[in-house]
Amino acid sequence: MDRDRRPDRDRDQGGRARNARPRDALGRPLPHGAPGVPTMPEVPLPPEQALAEAERLLAAGRPFHAHEVLEGAWKAAPDPERELWRGLAQLAVGLTHAARGNGVGASRLLLRAADRIAPYAGAAPHGVPVAALTTWARELAGRIDREDPAGLPASVLAPRLTG
């Protein structure tokens, strides 16, 4: 049987594989039937709303869910902005790794995110404070290389995405 067509896989109405298992606050799958944290809808938000919602989720300690919001914006973004949104989504993934205690993954993703968003510093779309965010991400990556990310205060893992 085709691996993608297993009858035991969760599928959406279009037949695409979807993991319908509940998730914890950091996006890790839980057993079917366990209480979980609601995930974000896959409908992309307009840029300003996506930034505000992602920032709210980061402040609430939910970087995985912020990543989902930013990923939706990335996939819907016009070509000139796609790499900015991709970098912002990677930043949230880096923060997810940090919150899960994966320092190596966190540091790498934060640096990759900083490199991806840095070119937008001259004319940042939607008021994203690119220069400050790039500096923040690089400094946090360095700190994570020196310290256990599990010991970082939540406030350190909640950047400002808007000016």
Side-chain angles (χ1 to χ4, degrees):
M1 173 177 275
D2 183 353
R3 182 182 161 120
D4 289 337
R5 295 289 177 207
R6 293 190 328 225
D8 61 327
R9 282 224 40 205
D10 298 325
R11 301 204 172 272
D12 66 12
Q13 290 184 355
R16 292 181 301 274
R18 297 281 187 234
N19 190 339
R21 288 171 52 188
R23 302 269 178 170
D24 70 8
L26 294 177
R28 294 174 288 218
L30 298 169
H32 284 285
V37 174
T39 58
M40 303 310 299
E42 292 190 16
V43 177
L45 298 172
E48 286 75 15
Q49 287 180 351
L51 289 166
E53 180 64 5
E55 190 172 291
R56 184 190 70 76
L57 289 164
L58 291 170
R62 296 179 61 196
F64 175 80
H65 298 90
H67 155 262
E68 289 183 324
V69 169
L70 294 166
E71 184 178 57
W74 160 35
K75 291 179 178 181
D79 284 341
E81 295 180 12
R82 286 182 67 83
E83 290 303 297
L84 171 70
W85 290 102
R86 185 175 180 190
L88 292 172
Q90 287 176 329
L91 183 125
V93 173
L95 294 171
T96 300
H97 283 292
R100 290 177 178 176
N102 175 3
V104 172
S107 178
R108 286 184 182 159
L109 263 295
L110 288 168
L111 292 174
R112 192 176 306 156
D115 289 346
R116 196 168 303 279
I117 67 173
Y120 292 89
H126 312 292
V128 175
V130 172
L133 199 52
T134 301
T135 299
W136 174 87
R138 289 183 175 139
E139 287 175 356
L140 181 58
R143 184 171 176 183
I144 289 171
D145 287 341
R146 295 184 306 274
E147 300 176 37
D148 179 3
L152 296 174
S155 61
V156 171
L157 302 175
R160 298 283 306 183
L161 302 180
T162 57

